[in-house]
Amino acid sequence: MVSANVARWMAARNVHYGWVVAATTFLTMLATAGAMGSAGVMIQPLHQEFGWDIADISSAMAVRLVLFGLLGPFAAAFMNHFGIRQVVAAALSLIMGGIVLSFFMTAVWQLLLLWGVVIGVGTGMTALVLGATVATRWFSKRRGLVVGLMTASNATGQLVFLPLLAALTEAYGWRTALTLSVAVIATAMVLVLLLMRDHPADVGLPAYGETAVVAPPRQDHKLGATLLAPLVTLKSVSGNPVFWVLFGTFFVCGLSTNGLIQTHWISICGDFGMAAVTAASTLAVIGVFDFFGTVFAGWLSDRYDNRVLLFWFYGLRGLSLLYLSISGFSFVELSVFAVFYGLDWVATVPPTVKLAAENFGREKAGLVFGWVFAGHQLGAATAAFGAGYLKSDFNTYMPALQIAGLMCILAALSVMLLKRPQPRPLAAQA
């Protein structure tokens, strides 16, 4: 097996194979992020080619966001049951199939089926829950840094791909642009099949930072039990206020990032006379700063109180959105916003994953974070719909920016209601 040979070769050089799994996951999430982010450049081309109402197109994209989030806890359960490699390979196949079939669609219901359901399910199975699961299984030390890298690949990929996809769409059409996404996803699938493994024990290693090889936990092979596992986990944590604080703050996280800015940014900038490619380039700048900000947030989460980190991350994001709502969208003002907002785009993820693992244990952390991530995407869908509604009512996006900014301030304050988590014994985590 390729993975076993690589693991032995790396072990001889005192390098842990977990970094190969992390790199493969990073590239996979980067590839699927391109498909996720491409929806933002498709709205106008689909409207112009088919004459479909923008509200109908946006509804399909909102379904994709909801499924992207709601599949999180079930994705974690499927990874526990079937294994990470099998689930990720199936998800990548769904995404590629949905994109390719969409080249031939002629009706809105086909858009809803392919981009709302098929691609929504596929991207939901490879979302942040994948990164959280890999990080908690393969890493004991440097877990926050790894989560930061995974999160950065997902969020930054959605933003950095946008200018290229927008330029290709403008020059050659949306089908050509999406062909690039298919090629990148196909490359990621080859790497997953060759290099991805489910547990460190599969290649005879302990988790990074530990000394003992721990056998994977036995799973109930009944499919019904697998499907019920997320619901059982939700019931078991629903009485814990920590879960609801994490869920609520992550709802605000989604509302103030991909639901609002990623979905509506090109339209927001268009109100100020900015071309689509230029607006997408601004998002790419946000994505570049997001990469460094999120990785740094992961490094910080390994060293400092994650409650305090979340307080500052949500608070500064709220202030940046309020600043944008009163700015004139000049080059200087947008540059200031891109830097501060970009550094904080999803810096909230590593501390949130760490708090979930500290409060609920390693094996349950993936399922718990799956439900927390569902809150993120419900917030994103709320903003995707709500910002459009406010735009129609007030003919401006500024009220949506202000509401999101105030919600971030509220999230920052609510995080400080949490008690400092107590260290969990290793046996309880495993």
Side-chain angles (χ1 to χ4, degrees), residues 164-179:
L164 177 59
L165 293 174
L168 287 174
T169 299
E170 194 172 275
Y172 305 106
W174 61 274
R175 292 175 179 82
T176 301
L178 292 183
T179 299

Side-chain angles (χ1 to χ4, degrees), residues 38-47 61 105 111 115 174 178:
S38 62
V41 300
M42 289 177 59
I43 296 176
Q44 288 300 329
L46 290 176
H47 173 66
M61 302 309 175
M105 62 187 178
L111 175 70
W115 274 89
W174 61 274
L178 292 183

Side-chain angles (χ1 to χ4, degrees), residues 30-72:
L30 189 71
T32 58
M36 193 69 185
S38 62
V41 300
M42 289 177 59
I43 296 176
Q44 288 300 329
L46 290 176
H47 173 66
Q48 293 166 4
E49 179 174 339
F50 297 107
W52 297 339
D53 189 76
I54 290 179
D56 292 334
I57 299 172
S58 299
S59 297
M61 302 309 175
V63 170
R64 175 182 56 93
L65 285 172
V66 171
L67 287 176
F68 183 70
L70 291 180
L71 260 291

